[in-house]
Amino acid sequence: MSSTQHTPLPYYEDVSPGSGALPPRAWSPASDTARLNLSGTWAFRLSPTATAEDDSFARPGYDARGWDEIPVPGHWVLHGHGAPIYTNVRYPFPVDPPRVPTENPTGDHLRVFDLTAGWPEGGDAVLRFEGVESCARVWLNGEELGTVKGSRLPHEFSVGAVGELLRRHGNVLAVRVHQWSSGSYLEDQDQWWLPGIFREVVLEHRPEGALDDFFVHASYDHTTGEGTLRIDADPGGRVIVPELGLDLATGESATVAVEPWSAETPRLYEAELTTVGESVGLRVGFRTVAVEDGLLKINGRPVLFRGVNRHEFHPEHGRALDLATMRRDLVLMKRHNINAVRTSHYPPHPAFLGLCDELGLWVIDECDLETHGFGLLGRRNNPVDDPRWIPALLDRAARMVERDKNHPSIVMWSLGNECGTGRGLSAMADWIRERDPSRLIHYEGDPSCADTDVYSRMYAPHDEVDLIGQRAEPPWGDPGLDRRRRELPFIQCEYAHAMGNGPGGLSEYQRLFEAHERCQGGFVWEWIDHGFARRAPDGRVSYAYGGDFGEELHDGNFVCDGLLFPDRTPSPGLLEYKKVIEPVRIEGDGATGTVRVTNHHDFADLSHLAFSWTYEAEGDVVGSGELTVPPLAPGESADLKLPAPAATEPGDETGWTIEARLATATAWADAGHPVAWAQLPAVGRERRALASGGAARRDGDRIVLGPGVFDAATGALTELGGLPVTGPRLDVWRAPTDNDNGASWRPDERYGLIWRGLGLHRVRHRCDAVETANGALTVRTRVAPAATDLALETVYRWTTDGDRLSLSVSVTPQGRWTCPLPRLGVRLGVPAALGDAEWFGGGPGEAYPDTRAASRLGRWARSVDDLQTPYVRPQENGARADVRWVRLTAPDGTGLRVEGAPPFWFTARRWTTEQLDAAEHTPDLVASPDTVWVNLDHGQHGIGTRSCGPGVLEPHRLLAGPAEFGFTFARLPG
């Protein structure tokens, strides 16, 4: 008879949360205890497996002079040791929980340090790790302290007083970090896998009588205007709040009149908590969170989240962020009208939450938990439904809640992300609810909402959001759970996937959020593109994404789906979002000079804003002034009268621009910062007649019509007043956006693939006739892709008045078109010297049919190079909407002027659409030395958010149908 003996799993593979760490406690950056930050340069050695080296390196006296060096905080894969890996859902190792591969990169870290002069005798000291991915074993002076899992969570170890384990000089701190561990199964979070000690390591003295923990309870009663403060602490002590005249024992409550904390008015009171051994500075914000009448209310009022999801990311340092970068993120959010952050999908660096308290943002603090990859396996062996994993899940919940519980900005605890359902999640919810009943519990992955206080969804399409807002969504199977869900407020914890060009459909979502009280906003996915910076020999910077590091399994550029580019430059999507969610609505009738201003803040009146008006004619300002707006309370409106407009030339297009700006400086912007605006048309554009009056004549193999010279065989324009021109001819192709290509799990409406399948990227142009009659040149063509009978019969009719050349285009579809067109217009090439553009139309940035809220009518000027939007993966970009006319000029002023009837979309590039389509990274785009390629489009298909969310809404689809449009061209003499 034989028997099988099971060897216990090593610490990095067992399901425990680790060993040896102290119980979690509140983060207290303003303590008067001695602290030593151990950040800096550490000795480093990388091994290919977890057991390639023994633990002798942890002993004092070990010779590590042959080791490499690495910065801490940092990730070793960003410092020449291995490479990052990006996956969205799939685990990059075989799924066999809790086991991990033998090939398990392991980084040994060594730091020798002295205590600072004056480090106190006696008491205790703790060694604190803010974040290590994914599992670590820790020694100090050769003695093992324990092991940790939970990469984005703090862990502390007691190291005793000086003269015990801790020494004044020559302390040897050794940390062995494994890239893969059982904890990796709980951290499948649509991001780069980046091992290392990526947050600070700090030694903190804990004198006798120091705080073990403390909990600030600061509620607000909106009916009385009073706040109630109680601070529980172990050991006990006293609490002083000078501004409120409070001097309390811990555990004692006091109720006084206060100004409440909110994201709009982040009022904080400085306080001090003192025990016999420690004094801690606090910032107290009074606020109350509750679900009442089916609505999420804070301080008695429903709130509307104008939020973003935020992974921690830096294009050179990964998740190792400094305080300046965190502040920069939050300042950018505030400047773009964002009022909420979901910390996807783990608690952020604790300093980030302190900044949210200070600057004012609502926070959903999310646990370091995601088991997304198990969804591909039918949720078999999903840890969140396996009782063996419950201690690890509860440990993660506790480390989040205990560290972050004193931040007024946090209004919800989130159990994690995309884990399915299970007993472990319910256990977490029960523990959190008992520990902190003052906040709500969020989790999106269970549509029954059995454990949550809000009904949360991802990427629900607009029509479903409308039903949910009416509490008329399809029923859930269990009548009791269905009734519970319908009674809950609704948020979109992820929506409007901001990948590449987009997201589209934001305005329609916001209208639904504002129309239905139950729909309390959402969080755009996400804040920043996660592209790692790469520098070419010529100094140009581009950004790497999944697959660029040789990963055998990856998800491409799906990691680049943010409202900021990796260098933290706002994308057009962020500017669009700012406009869509602006907290002041300005409407009116420009023709009658009437304006309605509505306050859409949740708490603040409008006294912090200054309003102004300008009156423009043909894009030029001809009058301006201040607009007196009363300090409207939230939800209130006022109807105002604009002054009499200035006189303008007959036929000029005129309109008003109304702006709301900060009246005084704030912590996040200077006075004059724009918050909201609107444009009100007054007198419409007078439609200009196309040029006519000249006659076409043949001249050998050419046809001459006014300033134009054409090829007699094809009818193609070759010169305009001596300026060489290529084209124009019909163009329907665009380099598909990430949203055009869509998500693989959403097979419908992946129009980028459909267009390519139809061959729209390789259409052929057949000239059927070139006719000169009645003073016009008419060219009849058939534009069609191979292998199909679909076609666009296109007629170009050219006329002239002697100086200008006008083109009228008529398009008639042939065959059964079952999909929209990418674009419909003409493309032409002009000399490369014409590198400056000026136009009267929408600007200053790009816009498309469903991303045009932020496009302002005016006169704008940009270089052709600056017209490009540098998406990490090149794709269609740079269109300007509602263009009346555009000039392209050389430095000497010579060039081309184009006027459209009706207004058109204008794009200009130094490469063709085909070259843009072929590029994978921005350095792949090589400027033509000869040509600027110009698109003049009658129509563009919308953008949508199909890379993960809904496609293009019906009103923004460019359906194939008969169309007529025209342009007038004029040579600019300089």
Side-chain angles (χ1 to χ4, degrees):
M1 177 180 293
S2 64
S3 63
T4 302
Q5 184 174 2
H6 294 283
T7 302
L9 293 177
Y11 65 91
Y12 52 85
E13 285 189 318
D14 67 33
V15 298
S16 76
S19 62
L22 294 169
R25 63 187 178 109
W27 189 65
S28 53
S31 171
D32 64 354
T33 57
R35 293 187 177 189
L36 176 61
N37 191 330
L38 298 176
S39 299
T41 300
W42 291 42
F44 177 79
R45 175 182 66 187
L46 182 66
S47 302
T49 68
T51 58
E53 301 284 350
D54 61 26
D55 60 7
S56 61
F57 81 101
R59 300 170 196 158
Y62 182 86
D63 186 359
R65 286 177 294 179
W67 287 23
D68 293 318
E69 292 184 337
I70 196 170
V72 171
H75 304 278
W76 70 68
V77 293
L78 301 182
H79 294 278
H81 304 279
I85 299 169
Y86 167 61
T87 60
N88 170 25
V89 176
R90 301 172 291 177
Y91 289 99
F93 48 80
V95 179
D96 181 26
R99 306 298 302 278
V100 295
T102 299
E103 298 85 3
N104 187 357
T106 295
D108 290 333
H109 301 68
L110 271 179
R111 173 81 152 86
V112 179
F113 67 92
D114 299 331
L115 296 181
T116 55
W119 187 272
E121 299 284 349
D124 191 7
V126 297
L127 187 65
R128 182 179 180 92
F129 293 83
E130 295 290 355
V132 184
E133 182 176 331
S134 72
C135 172
R137 186 180 178 191
V138 183
W139 297 263
L140 181 64
N141 295 327
E143 182 171 324
E144 182 173 348
L145 302 180
T147 62
V148 301
K149 298 170 192 166
S151 297
R152 269 67 71 177
L153 295 163
H155 295 82
E156 289 183 326
F157 298 98
S158 173
V159 298
V162 176
E164 300 176 355
L165 178 57
L166 190 64
R167 306 169 182 172
R168 288 210 172 268
H169 303 284
N171 292 283
V172 178
L173 177 57
V175 185
R176 172 163 285 172
V177 181
H178 306 288
Q179 174 153 19
W180 309 123
S181 71
S182 58
S184 302
Y185 286 101
L186 305 180
E187 296 170 6
D188 184 26
Q189 291 149 322
D190 184 12
Q191 60 175 320
W192 295 100
W193 299 86
L194 299 172
I197 306 172
F198 65 93
R199 289 181 185 162
E200 295 84 358
V201 182
V202 177
L203 183 71
E204 181 177 347
H205 183 240
R206 307 304 297 148
E208 294 291 337
L211 284 160
D212 287 334
D213 196 16
F214 61 96
F215 197 164
V216 177
H217 306 273
S219 61
Y220 179 72
D221 185 339
H222 67 280
T223 64
T224 65
E226 294 178 323
T228 299
L229 176 65
R230 186 185 86 246
I231 297 181
D232 298 328
D234 181 19
R238 296 204 69 79
V239 177
I240 299 173
V241 189
E243 194 173 353
L244 296 177
L246 294 178
D247 184 346
L248 308 170
T250 55
E252 180 182 351
S253 296
T255 300
V256 294
V258 297
E259 298 174 52
W261 188 97
S262 75
E264 294 168 5
T265 55
R267 181 67 161 93
L268 294 170
Y269 291 88
E270 299 292 332
E272 187 173 61
L273 168 60
T274 302
T275 69
V276 295
E278 183 178 12
S279 181
V280 174
L282 305 175
R283 297 188 300 179
V284 177
F286 292 87
R287 57 105 188 93
T288 296
V289 187
V291 173
E292 298 173 350
D293 307 318
L295 300 176
L296 193 164
K297 294 183 179 181
I298 301 177
N299 300 337
R301 297 185 61 87
V303 298
L304 185 63
F305 294 120
R306 301 170 171 91
V308 291
N309 288 272
R310 176 188 175 270
H311 270 299
E312 292 185 308
F313 184 76
H314 188 282
E316 294 176 338
H317 309 306
R319 280 188 288 281
L321 267 60
D322 60 11
L323 186 64
T325 300
M326 298 178 218
R327 181 177 287 275
R328 183 179 177 190
D329 277 347
L330 288 173
V331 165
L332 280 170
M333 290 179 195
K334 294 290 289 188
R335 289 179 180 176
H336 290 85
N337 293 330
I338 291 165
N339 71 356
V341 180
R342 176 180 174 228
T343 69
S344 52
H345 297 294
Y346 43 82
H349 189 288
F352 180 82
L353 298 171
L355 292 172
C356 291
D357 297 340
E358 173 190 332
L359 298 176
L361 283 102
W362 311 117
V363 176
I364 299 179
D365 197 2
E366 192 149 87
C367 196
D368 189 10
L369 176 61
E370 180 168 342
T371 64
H372 203 163
F374 286 90
L376 301 177
L377 307 174
R379 299 291 178 190
R380 293 188 304 277
N381 300 315
N382 188 0
V384 301
D385 198 31
D386 184 337
R388 296 176 302 163
W389 292 80
I390 288 178
L393 301 180
L394 290 175
D395 180 76
R396 288 173 182 246
R399 291 190 183 278
M400 171 183 69
V401 171
E402 300 296 6
R403 188 195 76 170
D404 297 344
K405 58 184 177 283
N406 295 323
H407 292 283
S409 56
I410 298 172
V411 295
M412 282 190 266
W413 301 115
S414 181
L415 302 180
N417 185 67
E418 293 178 311
C419 295
T421 59
R423 289 164 285 181
L425 292 168
S426 296
M428 293 170 66
D430 290 343
W431 184 90
I432 294 173
R433 190 168 277 118
E434 181 176 353
R435 177 60 173 147
D436 180 24
S438 71
R439 293 179 173 94
L440 306 182
I441 292 180
H442 169 273
Y443 179 65
E444 176 272 338
D446 181 4
S448 75
C449 304
D451 296 316
T452 67
D453 298 306
V454 295
Y455 176 28
S456 178
R457 288 284 302 279
M458 293 182 181
Y459 308 106
H462 298 76
D463 54 357
E464 187 177 1
V465 171
D466 193 18
L467 288 174
I468 292 170
Q470 302 171 55
R471 302 187 191 270
E473 65 267 26
W476 180 250
D478 183 305
L481 290 175
D482 181 61
R483 182 172 58 257
R484 169 178 167 76
R485 181 183 62 162
R486 289 177 194 277
E487 291 173 350
L488 297 178
F490 173 74
I491 65 168
Q492 289 248 58
C493 68
E494 293 180 23
Y495 82 114
H497 196 250
M499 186 176 180
N501 188 334
L506 285 170
S507 294
E508 290 81 1
Y509 269 126
Q510 193 67 17
R511 284 197 287 271
L512 289 168
F513 296 158
E514 293 176 1
H516 300 300
E517 201 173 30
R518 184 192 187 192
C519 295
Q520 296 194 244
F523 298 77
V524 168
W525 185 268
E526 67 151 309
W527 177 237
I528 188 169
D529 287 342
H530 298 181
F532 282 115
R534 297 195 298 192
R535 286 171 175 80
D538 63 2
R540 286 193 301 167
V541 176
S542 63
Y543 296 97
Y545 47 78
D548 288 337
F549 297 96
E551 306 102 303
E552 59 187 28
L553 189 71
H554 66 85
D555 286 293
N557 70 311
F558 202 72
V559 76
C560 295
D561 46 10
L563 294 170
L564 294 181
F565 295 124
D567 65 355
R568 285 181 160 74
T569 299
S571 75
L574 181 56
L575 302 180
E576 178 80 358
Y577 193 41
K578 174 184 179 177
K579 173 59 181 166
V580 167
I581 62 175
E582 58 190 14
V584 179
R585 179 69 49 78
I586 304 171
E587 304 165 298
D589 184 340
T592 61
T594 56
V595 178
R596 167 165 285 193
V597 176
T598 304
N599 182 2
H600 280 275
H601 289 87
D602 296 320
F603 297 95
D605 65 24
L606 297 188
S607 60
H608 66 294
L609 299 177
F611 290 78
S612 62
W613 60 267
T614 58
Y615 189 67
E616 297 107 21
E618 294 296 302
D620 292 324
V621 175
V622 295
S624 63
E626 300 300 314
L627 183 65
T628 301
V629 177
L632 302 169
E636 289 186 344
S637 299
D639 292 311
L640 310 168
K641 184 69 176 176
L642 293 167
T648 58
E649 294 295 322
D652 280 355
E653 182 175 2
T654 62
W656 304 86
T657 298
I658 315 298
E659 289 188 306
R661 295 176 176 268
L662 289 180
T664 58
T666 68
W668 46 269
D670 293 333
H673 169 78
V675 173
W677 59 272
Q679 290 189 304
L680 309 176
V683 177
R685 180 175 185 246
E686 182 179 288
R687 184 154 180 157
R688 274 70 166 176
L690 296 177
S692 62
R697 60 181 177 83
R698 288 185 177 267
D699 180 8
D701 59 358
R702 308 188 310 167
I703 296 175
V704 178
L705 179 65
V709 177
F710 300 80
D711 183 289
T714 65
L717 179 67
T718 60
E719 291 183 33
L720 177 68
L723 184 76
V725 177
T726 303
R729 66 178 185 175
L730 192 75
D731 189 18
V732 297
W733 180 243
R734 74 184 188 192
T737 68
D738 292 312
N739 286 302
D740 288 337
N741 287 332
S744 60
W745 60 89
R746 293 177 179 268
D748 57 320
E749 298 182 12
R750 298 186 68 191
Y751 287 128
L753 280 62
I754 294 170
W755 295 333
R756 200 179 299 277
L758 285 175
L760 297 187
H761 60 305
R762 48 174 172 77
V763 297
R764 297 292 181 261
H765 299 252
R766 186 182 73 205
C767 180
D768 290 336
V770 178
E771 304 165 349
T772 55
N774 302 319
L777 168 63
T778 302
V779 182
R780 304 183 186 278
T781 68
R782 186 178 190 271
V783 180
T788 177
D789 61 354
L790 298 176
L792 298 168
E793 289 193 353
T794 307
V795 178
Y796 308 95
R797 185 173 186 273
W798 293 94
T799 58
T800 186
D801 62 0
D803 296 319
R804 300 179 300 158
L805 196 61
S806 289
L807 168 64
S808 176
V809 184
S810 175
V811 180
T812 305
Q814 299 294 314
R816 185 169 177 268
W817 289 83
T818 58
C819 69
L821 297 173
R823 70 179 344 130
L824 182 66
V826 296
R827 188 201 310 189
L828 66 153
V830 299
L834 274 59
D836 290 307
E838 181 187 4
W839 72 98
F840 175 35
E846 73 179 25
Y848 290 83
D850 54 351
T851 64
R852 64 193 301 172
S855 180
R856 292 174 67 148
L857 181 64
R859 287 183 63 162
W860 311 102
R862 294 287 188 276
S863 70
V864 168
D865 296 329
D866 288 341
L867 290 173
Q868 314 311 308
T869 304
Y871 293 112
V872 172
R873 186 192 73 80
Q875 55 197 274
E876 167 63 34
N877 73 88
R880 268 57 181 181
D882 304 314
V883 176
R884 279 68 166 159
W885 55 258
V886 60
R887 297 189 185 103
L888 289 166
T889 56
D892 63 1
T894 60
L896 174 70
R897 185 184 191 275
V898 184
E899 187 169 350
F904 57 97
W905 308 83
F906 156 68
T907 311
R909 303 188 181 103
R910 295 192 182 276
W911 37 78
T912 64
T913 300
E914 291 73 21
Q915 291 168 325
L916 182 63
D917 184 20
E920 295 294 332
H921 299 84
T922 52
D924 299 338
L925 295 168
V926 179
S928 167
D930 306 316
T931 308
V932 167
W933 295 98
V934 180
N935 278 91
L936 309 171
D937 291 318
H938 176 61
Q940 279 268 4
H941 185 60
I943 298 297
T945 184
R946 182 58 82 186
S947 57
C948 194
V952 177
L953 294 175
E954 194 69 40
H956 306 305
R957 299 182 183 186
L958 181 60
L959 302 179
E964 293 189 1
F965 51 94
F967 306 98
T968 296
F969 301 86
R971 173 79 153 86
L972 299 175

